[in-house]
Amino acid sequence: VFHSAIMANSRRKLIFNIYIGFYCSAVIQICICSQFTSSSIDQFNKDRGAFPVAINGEIFPWHELRLPTMVIPLHYDFVHPNLTSLDFVASEKIEVLVRDATQFIILHSKDLEIMNVTLQSEEDLRYRKPGRKLTVLSYPAHEQIALLIPEKLMADLRYSVAIDFQAKLADGFEGFYKSTYRTLGGETRTIAVTDFEPTQARMAFPCFDEPLFKANFSIKIRRESRHVALSNMPKVSIHAAPDKWSQTHYALEASLKLLDFYENYFDIHYPLAKLDLVAIPDFESGAMENWGLVTYRETSLLFDPKTSSTSDKLWVTRVIAHELAHQWFGNLVTMEWWNDIWLNEGFATYMELISVNVTYPELQFDDDFLDMCFEVIKRDSLNSSHPLSNQAETSTHIKEMFDAVSYKKGACILNMLKDFLSEEKFKKGIIHYLKKFSYRNAKNDDLWSSLSDDCLESDSTSGGFCYSDSKTASNTLTFLREKVDVKQVMATWTLQKGIPLVVVNREGRSLRLQQERFLNGVFKEDPEWGALQERYLWHIPVTYSTSSSNAIHRHILKSKTDTLDLPEKTSWVKFNVNSNGYYIVHYEGHGWDQLITLLNQNHTFLRPKDRISLIHDAFQLVSAGRLTLDKALDLTRYLQHETSIPVLLKGLEYLELFYHITERRNVSDVTENLKHYLLQYFKPVFDMQSWCDEGSVWDRRLRSALLKLACYLNHAPCIQKATELFSQWMESSGKLNIPTDVLKIVYSVGAQTTAGWNYLLEQYERSLSGAEKNKILYALSTSKHQEKLMKLIELGMEGKVIKTQDLAALLHAIARNPKGQQLAWNFVKENWIHLLKKFELGSFPIRMIISGTTSHFSSKDELQEVKLFFESLKAQGSHLEIFQIVLETISKNIKWLEKNLPTLRNWLLISI
Ligand code: BES
Ligand code: ZN
């Protein structure tokens, strides 16, 4: 066994631990249940017809998806023996506490063969009496088993249940599954890994697989001496396949920094004696926060200085920051049920912002965070969105809860709350929450009470208000005089779906505000608009600054309409300062014109994030039929002089988007003119770009984005330089170091010839860097040749050269290529059954495959085709939330083109 250890120089010692062989990670799966009243044995005896039938034909004594609470687990003790044969025979002991007398125990089990179950009372244990054998019934539809007890289990007593079971290591990515990697020497090695969240622990051992049933675990793993076993408790390391050792340095540095940050910030020590971070060669999601043993997809943990770009570095940092935040938000304090998964995921995502800003300020994560909010606004402004806190019962529905709304909207509304409470008060509140609910479960309301304006211990009070000691909180003090009820305000953001639109109307010195529900693709004049508005009302913490004062003014808009008085005569007003609020703003009357004039005169009067939000809101309002496209385009005219890179990129993003939309629909006159406009209008910035890795993070991201666009538009100097670099790289047999920020562009240009494409595919197989492989795979997917694209799909389905974990991203990339969109879609339709064998129905890859291959469609025929396909899936019993999202998105695209294509065409004619 190759083994090397490096001690990191820190208060906490982490060991770099490179090893060969098997490992098994186990997570303390945390679980739940609700208040059932119908669980009594009497009801069971009375009403047998209401219960389902177990596979052996007997009545199964429980009909709910959620487990009863009569029996709760206290401790699990289990052994997972030898993994060499790829099946496992295991035994576990569960110590349970009986809360209400019962004649059965219901727990979860999926795809496990239960061989023997025995029960011992405390007395039996004391006198070493053998266990009594129990009958087991299984009800696979609910992934449950029932253990029938001949005599009743008595309330308030403890019992020990011993279960012997066996199973095969799973093929997919869930439960207890196998993963493989190849060494430089060509040897294929196998690993056994667990991935449990949200409902997969039941595939590794019978258990109470719900978040409320938190319990203690003792795990023993039997292994051969050449194997390594990793679990949640001591053993301190970062682990990866041996040949990837050099890529682990950055993760070690980042995890130490971030762990220190969180311990300070939360004022709560990381409670375990160790933390392992493990790069797993086959992993479905980006990472998983197992307590003390965080598992990652290789590209989420490994950083290769030669091939990882600045965006890759940001990603690795974010994922580590996210998973470490979960050690507090999620592991220390767990949500009661999956309906509130946003308390885990929204918080972890929000903490990325807070921790990365402090530990890696040079990564300038702020503007990316804003982009994340914009991304979820797209989703949340469709009627098919859902409230942050949302009912979820079935495994599929629970999996679907891990979506943009839980992660991104969760994080964005927390950021808004922090902005209006003040950073200091917000931080105190969450520390209070974490301390109060440590090792327990919590729900939405518990968070709000911890954050509410009841004074926290260290606040001084006066006149019934809480005053914090910070000098910076002056705005908040005035604001707090309005006596904010945090729970009441936040209920409007978490219990109802959607995003509000604030319409501002100025009459002299008075500002009339009005709120409505913002709907993308539904116009005010549409018949359904009225019904979609009914009963929606938010408590919106609005902020604004004006031409006469740069200060941040605050107000809570609690009713449909309200009026504010401007203190002095002002020429312009900008709402949603720094874009911290989760709402869109429309300026009626001359509002937009005044802002456009301002941007043209001197854009620096407004903060960069305010300029970003103006661009964003203007184009969103176009989609909602509230602003004409030419007005939004006029707003971007000043961009030639824009001094802030994130703002410039935001404007470019929309123009580029229109290019892709028209290109896909073959509207060649508009595509050509848009190309001409982009190349001509942004020529000075294009010409400034060099092919290197120098500069700040944003200089580097601008370079990547602009050169990518220039080469995509076939701009001759770009293609020439990329071709030259690609040839040199090929001649050097892949040894030449190309600047990482332009690597993907060079590969994509190189992939356009058959020789280049084939060479890239060879390099793909050879490369040990996940970051490089992603770039190559993207480049391969931009080929214009259908047979090459089909070959990629075949390789992805085979799962050897292109791993199954990368199949969803591959199909998505091919569908983005105008020459591949139909191919990818047809493939998905025809191979649906095969895809479902690889991934579970509600899983992230399945949702990505569906949305990735359909949501860019923009014609009525395509809509019809997609609708028919979804109908056929529903008829087979597969129903997903994403179906409705996709259908609404396509309808919205159709409507956008109908309304705006002529405007875009004319605007370009007068602009070039
Ligand atoms: N808890 C999740 C992993 C997960 C995802 C479990 C989906 C169950 C279903 C983990 O903390 C996570 O959120 N991972 C993200 C990465 C993060 C940086 C956004 C992921 O996998 O994409
Ligand atoms: Zn997470």
Side-chain angles (χ1 to χ4, degrees), residues 11 98 120 236 273 329 396 426 448 618 670 696 709 789 793 836 867 889:
R11 183 158 61 73
V98 177
Q120 286 174 299
V236 180
F329 282 102
T396 303
F426 182 78
W448 309 139
V670 177
S696 73
L709 178 62
L789 300 177
I793 297 184
L836 269 192
K867 226 182 223 165
T889 307

mmCIF file with all atom_site columns, all heavy atoms in Angstrom, residues 11 98 120 236 273 329 396 426 448 618 670 696 709 789 793 836 867 889:
data_model
loop_
_atom_site.group_PDB
_atom_site.id
_atom_site.type_symbol
_atom_site.label_atom_id
_atom_site.label_alt_id
_atom_site.label_comp_id
_atom_site.label_asym_id
_atom_site.label_entity_id
_atom_site.label_seq_id
_atom_site.pdbx_PDB_ins_code
_atom_site.Cartn_x
_atom_site.Cartn_y
_atom_site.Cartn_z
_atom_site.occupancy
_atom_site.B_iso_or_equiv
_atom_site.pdbx_formal_charge
_atom_site.auth_seq_id
_atom_site.auth_comp_id
_atom_site.auth_asym_id
_atom_site.auth_atom_id
_atom_site.pdbx_PDB_model_num
ATOM 1   N N   . ARG A 1 11  ? -3.401  24.598  13.915  1.00 0.00 ? 11  ARG A N   1
ATOM 2   C CA  . ARG A 1 11  ? -3.887  24.214  15.223  1.00 0.00 ? 11  ARG A CA  1
ATOM 3   C C   . ARG A 1 11  ? -4.504  22.824  15.123  1.00 0.00 ? 11  ARG A C   1
ATOM 4   O O   . ARG A 1 11  ? -4.340  21.979  15.968  1.00 0.00 ? 11  ARG A O   1
ATOM 5   C CB  . ARG A 1 11  ? -4.949  25.248  15.616  1.00 0.00 ? 11  ARG A CB  1
ATOM 6   C CG  . ARG A 1 11  ? -5.542  25.081  16.958  1.00 0.00 ? 11  ARG A CG  1
ATOM 7   C CD  . ARG A 1 11  ? -6.111  26.431  17.379  1.00 0.00 ? 11  ARG A CD  1
ATOM 8   N NE  . ARG A 1 11  ? -7.157  26.922  16.492  1.00 0.00 ? 11  ARG A NE  1
ATOM 9   C CZ  . ARG A 1 11  ? -8.388  26.426  16.448  1.00 0.00 ? 11  ARG A CZ  1
ATOM 10  N NH1 . ARG A 1 11  ? -8.714  25.408  17.195  1.00 0.00 ? 11  ARG A NH1 1
ATOM 11  N NH2 . ARG A 1 11  ? -9.291  26.951  15.643  1.00 0.00 ? 11  ARG A NH2 1
ATOM 12  N N   . VAL A 1 98  ? -39.560 2.524   23.298  1.00 0.00 ? 98  VAL A N   1
ATOM 13  C CA  . VAL A 1 98  ? -40.983 2.458   22.936  1.00 0.00 ? 98  VAL A CA  1
ATOM 14  C C   . VAL A 1 98  ? -41.697 3.603   23.634  1.00 0.00 ? 98  VAL A C   1
ATOM 15  O O   . VAL A 1 98  ? -41.610 3.744   24.855  1.00 0.00 ? 98  VAL A O   1
ATOM 16  C CB  . VAL A 1 98  ? -41.583 1.105   23.349  1.00 0.00 ? 98  VAL A CB  1
ATOM 17  C CG1 . VAL A 1 98  ? -43.069 1.061   23.034  1.00 0.00 ? 98  VAL A CG1 1
ATOM 18  C CG2 . VAL A 1 98  ? -40.844 -0.013  22.635  1.00 0.00 ? 98  VAL A CG2 1
ATOM 19  N N   . GLN A 1 120 ? -34.835 -8.472  21.884  1.00 0.00 ? 120 GLN A N   1
ATOM 20  C CA  . GLN A 1 120 ? -34.530 -8.720  23.295  1.00 0.00 ? 120 GLN A CA  1
ATOM 21  C C   . GLN A 1 120 ? -35.001 -7.528  24.117  1.00 0.00 ? 120 GLN A C   1
ATOM 22  O O   . GLN A 1 120 ? -34.792 -6.372  23.714  1.00 0.00 ? 120 GLN A O   1
ATOM 23  C CB  . GLN A 1 120 ? -33.017 -8.874  23.494  1.00 0.00 ? 120 GLN A CB  1
ATOM 24  C CG  . GLN A 1 120 ? -32.462 -10.192 22.994  1.00 0.00 ? 120 GLN A CG  1
ATOM 25  C CD  . GLN A 1 120 ? -30.944 -10.205 23.090  1.00 0.00 ? 120 GLN A CD  1
ATOM 26  O OE1 . GLN A 1 120 ? -30.286 -9.386  22.454  1.00 0.00 ? 120 GLN A OE1 1
ATOM 27  N NE2 . GLN A 1 120 ? -30.410 -11.107 23.883  1.00 0.00 ? 120 GLN A NE2 1
ATOM 28  N N   . VAL A 1 236 ? -7.522  11.311  10.513  1.00 0.00 ? 236 VAL A N   1
ATOM 29  C CA  . VAL A 1 236 ? -7.676  12.722  10.043  1.00 0.00 ? 236 VAL A CA  1
ATOM 30  C C   . VAL A 1 236 ? -7.041  12.889  8.665   1.00 0.00 ? 236 VAL A C   1
ATOM 31  O O   . VAL A 1 236 ? -5.826  12.843  8.545   1.00 0.00 ? 236 VAL A O   1
ATOM 32  C CB  . VAL A 1 236 ? -6.998  13.710  11.018  1.00 0.00 ? 236 VAL A CB  1
ATOM 33  C CG1 . VAL A 1 236 ? -7.143  15.131  10.540  1.00 0.00 ? 236 VAL A CG1 1
ATOM 34  C CG2 . VAL A 1 236 ? -7.566  13.544  12.402  1.00 0.00 ? 236 VAL A CG2 1
ATOM 35  N N   . ALA A 1 273 ? -13.572 14.885  16.356  1.00 0.00 ? 273 ALA A N   1
ATOM 36  C CA  . ALA A 1 273 ? -12.124 14.910  16.505  1.00 0.00 ? 273 ALA A CA  1
ATOM 37  C C   . ALA A 1 273 ? -11.415 14.922  15.159  1.00 0.00 ? 273 ALA A C   1
ATOM 38  O O   . ALA A 1 273 ? -10.206 15.060  15.091  1.00 0.00 ? 273 ALA A O   1
ATOM 39  C CB  . ALA A 1 273 ? -11.685 13.700  17.312  1.00 0.00 ? 273 ALA A CB  1
ATOM 40  N N   . PHE A 1 329 ? -25.051 23.711  10.028  1.00 0.00 ? 329 PHE A N   1
ATOM 41  C CA  . PHE A 1 329 ? -26.423 23.766  9.506   1.00 0.00 ? 329 PHE A CA  1
ATOM 42  C C   . PHE A 1 329 ? -26.766 22.475  8.782   1.00 0.00 ? 329 PHE A C   1
ATOM 43  O O   . PHE A 1 329 ? -26.487 22.332  7.600   1.00 0.00 ? 329 PHE A O   1
ATOM 44  C CB  . PHE A 1 329 ? -26.591 24.924  8.522   1.00 0.00 ? 329 PHE A CB  1
ATOM 45  C CG  . PHE A 1 329 ? -26.739 26.233  9.197   1.00 0.00 ? 329 PHE A CG  1
ATOM 46  C CD1 . PHE A 1 329 ? -25.676 27.114  9.278   1.00 0.00 ? 329 PHE A CD1 1
ATOM 47  C CD2 . PHE A 1 329 ? -27.942 26.589  9.782   1.00 0.00 ? 329 PHE A CD2 1
ATOM 48  C CE1 . PHE A 1 329 ? -25.810 28.315  9.924   1.00 0.00 ? 329 PHE A CE1 1
ATOM 49  C CE2 . PHE A 1 329 ? -28.086 27.802  10.431  1.00 0.00 ? 329 PHE A CE2 1
ATOM 50  C CZ  . PHE A 1 329 ? -27.015 28.669  10.511  1.00 0.00 ? 329 PHE A CZ  1
ATOM 51  N N   . THR A 1 396 ? -39.415 10.407  -4.390  1.00 0.00 ? 396 THR A N   1
ATOM 52  C CA  . THR A 1 396 ? -39.191 11.223  -5.577  1.00 0.00 ? 396 THR A CA  1
ATOM 53  C C   . THR A 1 396 ? -39.388 12.691  -5.253  1.00 0.00 ? 396 THR A C   1
ATOM 54  O O   . THR A 1 396 ? -38.576 13.542  -5.612  1.00 0.00 ? 396 THR A O   1
ATOM 55  C CB  . THR A 1 396 ? -40.164 10.794  -6.700  1.00 0.00 ? 396 THR A CB  1
ATOM 56  O OG1 . THR A 1 396 ? -39.970 9.411   -6.941  1.00 0.00 ? 396 THR A OG1 1
ATOM 57  C CG2 . THR A 1 396 ? -39.947 11.577  -7.965  1.00 0.00 ? 396 THR A CG2 1
ATOM 58  N N   . PHE A 1 426 ? -28.168 39.700  12.656  1.00 0.00 ? 426 PHE A N   1
ATOM 59  C CA  . PHE A 1 426 ? -28.437 38.447  11.963  1.00 0.00 ? 426 PHE A CA  1
ATOM 60  C C   . PHE A 1 426 ? -27.511 37.342  12.492  1.00 0.00 ? 426 PHE A C   1
ATOM 61  O O   . PHE A 1 426 ? -27.940 36.241  12.820  1.00 0.00 ? 426 PHE A O   1
ATOM 62  C CB  . PHE A 1 426 ? -28.221 38.647  10.460  1.00 0.00 ? 426 PHE A CB  1
ATOM 63  C CG  . PHE A 1 426 ? -28.514 37.430  9.640   1.00 0.00 ? 426 PHE A CG  1
ATOM 64  C CD1 . PHE A 1 426 ? -29.829 37.080  9.349   1.00 0.00 ? 426 PHE A CD1 1
ATOM 65  C CD2 . PHE A 1 426 ? -27.494 36.620  9.159   1.00 0.00 ? 426 PHE A CD2 1
ATOM 66  C CE1 . PHE A 1 426 ? -30.118 35.949  8.599   1.00 0.00 ? 426 PHE A CE1 1
ATOM 67  C CE2 . PHE A 1 426 ? -27.768 35.494  8.408   1.00 0.00 ? 426 PHE A CE2 1
ATOM 68  C CZ  . PHE A 1 426 ? -29.085 35.164  8.126   1.00 0.00 ? 426 PHE A CZ  1
ATOM 69  N N   . TRP A 1 448 ? -36.982 31.800  12.898  1.00 0.00 ? 448 TRP A N   1
ATOM 70  C CA  . TRP A 1 448 ? -37.483 33.177  13.013  1.00 0.00 ? 448 TRP A CA  1
ATOM 71  C C   . TRP A 1 448 ? -37.547 33.645  14.464  1.00 0.00 ? 448 TRP A C   1
ATOM 72  O O   . TRP A 1 448 ? -37.264 34.797  14.756  1.00 0.00 ? 448 TRP A O   1
ATOM 73  C CB  . TRP A 1 448 ? -38.863 33.342  12.356  1.00 0.00 ? 448 TRP A CB  1
ATOM 74  C CG  . TRP A 1 448 ? -38.933 32.813  10.947  1.00 0.00 ? 448 TRP A CG  1
ATOM 75  C CD1 . TRP A 1 448 ? -39.950 32.118  10.394  1.00 0.00 ? 448 TRP A CD1 1
ATOM 76  C CD2 . TRP A 1 448 ? -37.934 32.938  9.916   1.00 0.00 ? 448 TRP A CD2 1
ATOM 77  N NE1 . TRP A 1 448 ? -39.649 31.777  9.095   1.00 0.00 ? 448 TRP A NE1 1
ATOM 78  C CE2 . TRP A 1 448 ? -38.413 32.273  8.778   1.00 0.00 ? 448 TRP A CE2 1
ATOM 79  C CE3 . TRP A 1 448 ? -36.666 33.520  9.847   1.00 0.00 ? 448 TRP A CE3 1
ATOM 80  C CZ2 . TRP A 1 448 ? -37.698 32.188  7.591   1.00 0.00 ? 448 TRP A CZ2 1
ATOM 81  C CZ3 . TRP A 1 448 ? -35.945 33.439  8.663   1.00 0.00 ? 448 TRP A CZ3 1
ATOM 82  C CH2 . TRP A 1 448 ? -36.457 32.779  7.556   1.00 0.00 ? 448 TRP A CH2 1
ATOM 83  N N   . ALA A 1 618 ? -34.505 45.142  -16.248 1.00 0.00 ? 618 ALA A N   1
ATOM 84  C CA  . ALA A 1 618 ? -35.056 45.619  -17.522 1.00 0.00 ? 618 ALA A CA  1
ATOM 85  C C   . ALA A 1 618 ? -35.387 44.433  -18.429 1.00 0.00 ? 618 ALA A C   1
ATOM 86  O O   . ALA A 1 618 ? -36.488 44.352  -18.989 1.00 0.00 ? 618 ALA A O   1
ATOM 87  C CB  . ALA A 1 618 ? -34.061 46.558  -18.198 1.00 0.00 ? 618 ALA A CB  1
ATOM 88  N N   . VAL A 1 670 ? -31.056 38.145  -38.430 1.00 0.00 ? 670 VAL A N   1
ATOM 89  C CA  . VAL A 1 670 ? -30.862 38.723  -37.095 1.00 0.00 ? 670 VAL A CA  1
ATOM 90  C C   . VAL A 1 670 ? -29.545 38.206  -36.492 1.00 0.00 ? 670 VAL A C   1
ATOM 91  O O   . VAL A 1 670 ? -28.757 38.967  -35.924 1.00 0.00 ? 670 VAL A O   1
ATOM 92  C CB  . VAL A 1 670 ? -32.056 38.382  -36.171 1.00 0.00 ? 670 VAL A CB  1
ATOM 93  C CG1 . VAL A 1 670 ? -31.829 38.910  -34.761 1.00 0.00 ? 670 VAL A CG1 1
ATOM 94  C CG2 . VAL A 1 670 ? -33.348 38.962  -36.731 1.00 0.00 ? 670 VAL A CG2 1
ATOM 95  N N   . SER A 1 696 ? -6.694  40.012  -12.147 1.00 0.00 ? 696 SER A N   1
ATOM 96  C CA  . SER A 1 696 ? -7.601  39.679  -11.055 1.00 0.00 ? 696 SER A CA  1
ATOM 97  C C   . SER A 1 696 ? -8.585  38.611  -11.530 1.00 0.00 ? 696 SER A C   1
ATOM 98  O O   . SER A 1 696 ? -8.663  38.315  -12.721 1.00 0.00 ? 696 SER A O   1
ATOM 99  C CB  . SER A 1 696 ? -8.387  40.915  -10.633 1.00 0.00 ? 696 SER A CB  1
ATOM 100 O OG  . SER A 1 696 ? -9.342  41.198  -11.631 1.00 0.00 ? 696 SER A OG  1
ATOM 101 N N   . LEU A 1 709 ? -16.674 34.020  -26.703 1.00 0.00 ? 709 LEU A N   1
ATOM 102 C CA  . LEU A 1 709 ? -17.682 34.585  -27.600 1.00 0.00 ? 709 LEU A CA  1
ATOM 103 C C   . LEU A 1 709 ? -17.066 34.884  -28.976 1.00 0.00 ? 709 LEU A C   1
ATOM 104 O O   . LEU A 1 709 ? -17.629 34.536  -30.011 1.00 0.00 ? 709 LEU A O   1
ATOM 105 C CB  . LEU A 1 709 ? -18.270 35.862  -26.975 1.00 0.00 ? 709 LEU A CB  1
ATOM 106 C CG  . LEU A 1 709 ? -19.303 36.599  -27.809 1.00 0.00 ? 709 LEU A CG  1
ATOM 107 C CD1 . LEU A 1 709 ? -20.533 35.727  -28.063 1.00 0.00 ? 709 LEU A CD1 1
ATOM 108 C CD2 . LEU A 1 709 ? -19.740 37.902  -27.120 1.00 0.00 ? 709 LEU A CD2 1
ATOM 109 N N   . LEU A 1 789 ? -21.085 13.431  -32.303 1.00 0.00 ? 789 LEU A N   1
ATOM 110 C CA  . LEU A 1 789 ? -21.906 13.680  -31.113 1.00 0.00 ? 789 LEU A CA  1
ATOM 111 C C   . LEU A 1 789 ? -22.558 12.377  -30.651 1.00 0.00 ? 789 LEU A C   1
ATOM 112 O O   . LEU A 1 789 ? -22.637 12.081  -29.461 1.00 0.00 ? 789 LEU A O   1
ATOM 113 C CB  . LEU A 1 789 ? -22.970 14.743  -31.411 1.00 0.00 ? 789 LEU A CB  1
ATOM 114 C CG  . LEU A 1 789 ? -22.403 16.112  -31.838 1.00 0.00 ? 789 LEU A CG  1
ATOM 115 C CD1 . LEU A 1 789 ? -23.530 17.087  -32.179 1.00 0.00 ? 789 LEU A CD1 1
ATOM 116 C CD2 . LEU A 1 789 ? -21.523 16.701  -30.729 1.00 0.00 ? 789 LEU A CD2 1
ATOM 117 N N   . ILE A 1 793 ? -22.415 10.211  -27.043 1.00 0.00 ? 793 ILE A N   1
ATOM 118 C CA  . ILE A 1 793 ? -23.553 9.712   -26.268 1.00 0.00 ? 793 ILE A CA  1
ATOM 119 C C   . ILE A 1 793 ? -23.387 8.215   -26.002 1.00 0.00 ? 793 ILE A C   1
ATOM 120 O O   . ILE A 1 793 ? -23.616 7.731   -24.895 1.00 0.00 ? 793 ILE A O   1
ATOM 121 C CB  . ILE A 1 793 ? -24.893 10.001  -26.996 1.00 0.00 ? 793 ILE A CB  1
ATOM 122 C CG1 . ILE A 1 793 ? -25.084 11.509  -27.129 1.00 0.00 ? 793 ILE A CG1 1
ATOM 123 C CG2 . ILE A 1 793 ? -26.067 9.375   -26.250 1.00 0.00 ? 793 ILE A CG2 1
ATOM 124 C CD1 . ILE A 1 793 ? -26.396 11.956  -27.745 1.00 0.00 ? 793 ILE A CD1 1
ATOM 125 N N   . LEU A 1 836 ? -33.452 5.634   -16.964 1.00 0.00 ? 836 LEU A N   1
ATOM 126 C CA  . LEU A 1 836 ? -34.027 5.399   -15.630 1.00 0.00 ? 836 LEU A CA  1
ATOM 127 C C   . LEU A 1 836 ? -33.366 4.224   -14.914 1.00 0.00 ? 836 LEU A C   1
ATOM 128 O O   . LEU A 1 836 ? -33.491 4.090   -13.708 1.00 0.00 ? 836 LEU A O   1
ATOM 129 C CB  . LEU A 1 836 ? -35.527 5.139   -15.733 1.00 0.00 ? 836 LEU A CB  1
ATOM 130 C CG  . LEU A 1 836 ? -36.427 6.363   -15.629 1.00 0.00 ? 836 LEU A CG  1
ATOM 131 C CD1 . LEU A 1 836 ? -37.866 5.936   -15.440 1.00 0.00 ? 836 LEU A CD1 1
ATOM 132 C CD2 . LEU A 1 836 ? -36.014 7.299   -14.502 1.00 0.00 ? 836 LEU A CD2 1
ATOM 133 N N   . LYS A 1 867 ? -44.755 17.941  -24.859 1.00 0.00 ? 867 LYS A N   1
ATOM 134 C CA  . LYS A 1 867 ? -45.979 17.680  -24.095 1.00 0.00 ? 867 LYS A CA  1
ATOM 135 C C   . LYS A 1 867 ? -46.381 16.208  -24.234 1.00 0.00 ? 867 LYS A C   1
ATOM 136 O O   . LYS A 1 867 ? -46.658 15.525  -23.253 1.00 0.00 ? 867 LYS A O   1
ATOM 137 C CB  . LYS A 1 867 ? -47.104 18.550  -24.668 1.00 0.00 ? 867 LYS A CB  1
ATOM 138 C CG  . LYS A 1 867 ? -47.913 19.267  -23.607 1.00 0.00 ? 867 LYS A CG  1
ATOM 139 C CD  . LYS A 1 867 ? -49.028 20.061  -24.260 1.00 0.00 ? 867 LYS A CD  1
ATOM 140 C CE  . LYS A 1 867 ? -49.133 21.416  -23.617 1.00 0.00 ? 867 LYS A CE  1
ATOM 141 N NZ  . LYS A 1 867 ? -49.921 22.369  -24.380 1.00 0.00 ? 867 LYS A NZ  1
ATOM 142 N N   . THR A 1 889 ? -41.636 27.003  -19.553 1.00 0.00 ? 889 THR A N   1
ATOM 143 C CA  . THR A 1 889 ? -40.466 27.692  -20.110 1.00 0.00 ? 889 THR A CA  1
ATOM 144 C C   . THR A 1 889 ? -40.567 27.763  -21.637 1.00 0.00 ? 889 THR A C   1
ATOM 145 O O   . THR A 1 889 ? -40.309 28.813  -22.235 1.00 0.00 ? 889 THR A O   1
ATOM 146 C CB  . THR A 1 889 ? -39.167 26.959  -19.698 1.00 0.00 ? 889 THR A CB  1
ATOM 147 O OG1 . THR A 1 889 ? -39.172 26.822  -18.283 1.00 0.00 ? 889 THR A OG1 1
ATOM 148 C CG2 . THR A 1 889 ? -37.940 27.709  -20.127 1.00 0.00 ? 889 THR A CG2 1
#
